[in-house]
Amino acid sequence: MNEEDRDIVEFTDEEGNSILLEVLDTFYYNGEEFAVLADYVEDEEDDGETAACDCAQSEGCACCGGCGEGDEEGEDVYLMKIVTSTNEEGEEMEEFIPVEDDDLMEKLIEIVQTRFGEDDEEE
């Protein structure tokens, strides 16, 4: 996927560090919009090595075809509610808010697992 096609969101943690997350999917549940996000990993660099993998195996490791460092399993995934508003200049803004209701989070996790399970079956 081209860099331009990816939806990257920047967050700031409690310590002021910048965190980049990629929006993997969005969906509606009970009239509210939610996003599935994961840590942003850059595409392959010009030299052909994969940026997400620091292993010494540049050959055979398409992050990861051999070393296992870049496997998607174990990748952190975040679910957040998207609240849309308009700023003073009239521009539409999206705010990503963590889901704090445990019952809602369980239902959202089920939905995401179903959605991503369907994607795996299509491949």
Side-chain angles (χ1 to χ4, degrees):
M1 180 179 294
N2 294 338
E3 283 296 311
E4 305 88 45
D5 296 339
R6 298 169 75 177
D7 192 2
I8 310 302
V9 184
E10 183 173 1
F11 293 91
T12 305
D13 68 11
E14 300 85 21
E15 299 170 359
N17 299 314
S18 177
I19 300 169
L20 294 177
L21 298 178
E22 179 177 3
V23 178
L24 302 178
D25 191 17
T26 59
F27 62 95
Y28 286 87
Y29 177 72
N30 285 344
E32 298 179 309
E33 187 175 16
F34 295 90
V36 180
L37 304 111
D39 292 325
Y40 169 69
V41 179
E42 291 184 41
D43 284 338
E44 290 187 8
E45 297 175 5
D46 291 337
D47 63 3
E49 291 188 33
T50 305
C53 181
D54 294 329
C55 74
Q57 294 183 308
S58 59
E59 215 170 300
C61 183
C63 209
C64 185
C67 73
E69 286 185 30
D71 288 348
E72 287 185 25
E73 295 211 15
E75 177 180 345
D76 289 331
V77 176
Y78 308 92
L79 289 172
M80 294 193 185
K81 179 178 173 182
I82 301 174
V83 177
T84 304
S85 61
T86 305
N87 68 11
E88 295 171 0
E89 291 84 35
E91 297 174 352
E92 190 174 276
M93 304 290 291
E94 292 182 334
E95 183 177 1
F96 291 80
I97 302 172
V99 177
E100 296 186 9
D101 180 315
D102 290 339
D103 293 333
L104 175 59
M105 180 60 90
E106 285 182 30
K107 183 61 181 167
L108 296 174
I109 289 170
E110 287 178 29
I111 292 168
V112 170
Q113 288 175 334
T114 301
R115 291 173 68 89
F116 279 82
E118 290 171 359
D119 287 349
D120 290 345
E121 291 172 9
E122 289 175 9
E123 289 178 8

